[in-house]
Amino acid sequence: MRSPPLATLEALFLDAGNTLIGMDLDLVCELLARHGVAATPDAVARAEAAARPRLSRLLATGLSSEARDTFAFHVANTLARLGVPEARRMQVVLELARDMKAVGTRRLWSRVLPGVPQALAELHAAGIKLAVVSNSDGTVEEGLERLGLRAPLDAVLDSTRVGVEKPDPRIFARALEVVGSLPARTAHVGDLFAVDVLGARAAGLHGVLVDPYGDWCDEPCATTRDVPTLARELLAARASSSR
C-alpha cells in the first residue's frame, strides 16, 4: 500500500498504547505466573502483537475498545498465541484480565517504547505538530507526563475526556481543530486497523499501521515497524524535498 506523502505532512497524530508506550512485560509475566503460565517478556510481546488482527476484526463490529469483554477477548487470544491449551486458557482468562485491570492503566502501560523520546523530540524540533489521539480511561495525559513524553506534544486527546472514541471521526476532527492542521497533511499512527486506520480515513487523514512483526499482511494500508522508523523516513523526505 502506498505510504502517505511524508514530505508534505504538517502533523502527526499518534495512538498511545503499542505506539508510544507498551505494557510492563515483566509485570505481565508475573501476573501470568500467578495463574501457572510461564512466559518471557519477548514471548508475551510477540504473542500480543500477533493477536491484534483478531482484535481489530472484533472492533470492526462496533464494540468499544475500552469494553471489559474486548479486553478479555484480547487476553484470551494472546494466551492462545503463547500456546496455552484452550481448556486451561478458559479457566484463567477472566481472572488474568481482572488482575491486569486491577493493576491500573498507568502501572500496566508504563514502558516507553525504544527510540520514542528521541523521535518525538526530533519531529517537534522539525516543526511537525504532534498530538496523541487515544482510546483510554482518562489517564493517558497524566501517564505520558509521568513518563516524560508530554513536552513535545501539542495536544493529548483521551477518548474518555473528549466523549467520543476512535474510530469515530469526530475525535480526529477535534484533534485537527486543536493543533490547526489540515486532514490531507496529517497522518495518524496506531496499532489497530479498524480503530486507527479506518478512523483516520473516515476523517480524511492518512492512516499508518504499526506492524512490528509483519502480522497485518492482509490489510490495505501503509505500515511502519515503529514510530522511530516512521520519524526517520518523514524527516528524510522533508529534507530531500527542501533541497
Side-chain angles (χ1 to χ4, degrees):
M1 185 71 177
R2 184 178 178 183
S3 296
L6 297 178
T8 67
L9 292 181
E10 63 183 12
L12 201 61
F13 295 170
L14 303 143
D15 189 21
N18 292 326
T19 303
L20 301 181
I21 58 177
M23 290 185 291
D24 181 333
L25 297 176
D26 290 328
L27 173 61
V28 173
C29 288
E30 291 176 13
L31 296 177
L32 286 168
R34 293 181 189 176
H35 299 282
V37 178
T40 65
D42 286 347
V44 172
R46 183 66 192 94
E48 189 279 325
R52 292 174 200 168
R54 287 198 68 187
L55 175 61
S56 179
R57 289 192 289 273
L58 175 69
L59 296 174
T61 67
L63 193 64
S64 168
S65 62
E66 295 302 292
R68 179 177 299 179
D69 288 348
T70 304
F71 188 70
F73 176 87
H74 191 46
V75 171
N77 282 297
T78 299
L79 291 174
R81 292 286 181 170
L82 284 170
V84 179
E86 183 175 2
R88 185 180 178 197
R89 186 166 72 238
M90 299 310 294
Q91 292 174 357
V92 303
V93 63
L94 293 180
E95 291 183 357
L96 179 61
R98 180 203 62 201
D99 290 349
M100 293 174 75
K101 282 288 190 181
V103 165
T105 302
R106 285 177 295 174
R107 176 68 181 90
L108 183 61
W109 293 90
S110 59
R111 179 173 58 95
V112 178
L113 296 180
V116 163
Q118 182 179 354
L120 294 181
E122 291 175 352
L123 289 167
H124 177 76
I128 301 295
K129 299 171 184 177
L130 300 171
V132 163
V133 181
S134 174
N135 289 353
S136 190
D137 60 0
T139 65
V140 69
E141 185 165 18
E142 182 182 352
L144 293 170
E145 181 75 44
R146 184 170 51 86
L147 294 172
L149 298 179
R150 179 62 181 87
L153 303 173
D154 295 282
V156 176
L157 288 89
D158 185 313
S159 62
T160 294
R161 297 188 179 275
V162 176
V164 63
E165 67 180 43
K166 300 176 294 183
D168 193 312
R170 289 177 292 174
I171 193 169
F172 295 102
R174 177 59 179 155
L176 291 168
E177 179 184 350
V178 169
V179 305
S181 61
L182 297 173
R185 295 174 66 89
T186 304
H188 174 69
V189 187
D191 68 316
L192 292 171
F193 178 77
V195 173
D196 294 295
V197 174
L198 295 185
R201 288 177 179 172
L205 284 66
H206 304 282
V208 180
L209 188 64
V210 175
D211 186 15
Y213 302 101
D215 292 311
W216 295 88
C217 56
D218 295 331
E219 303 297 351
C221 65
T223 63
T224 186
R225 178 177 177 82
D226 50 35
V227 168
T229 298
L230 181 63
R232 286 192 298 271
E233 293 172 353
L234 191 160
L235 294 173
R238 284 167 61 90
S240 178
S241 67
S242 65
R243 292 172 187 162

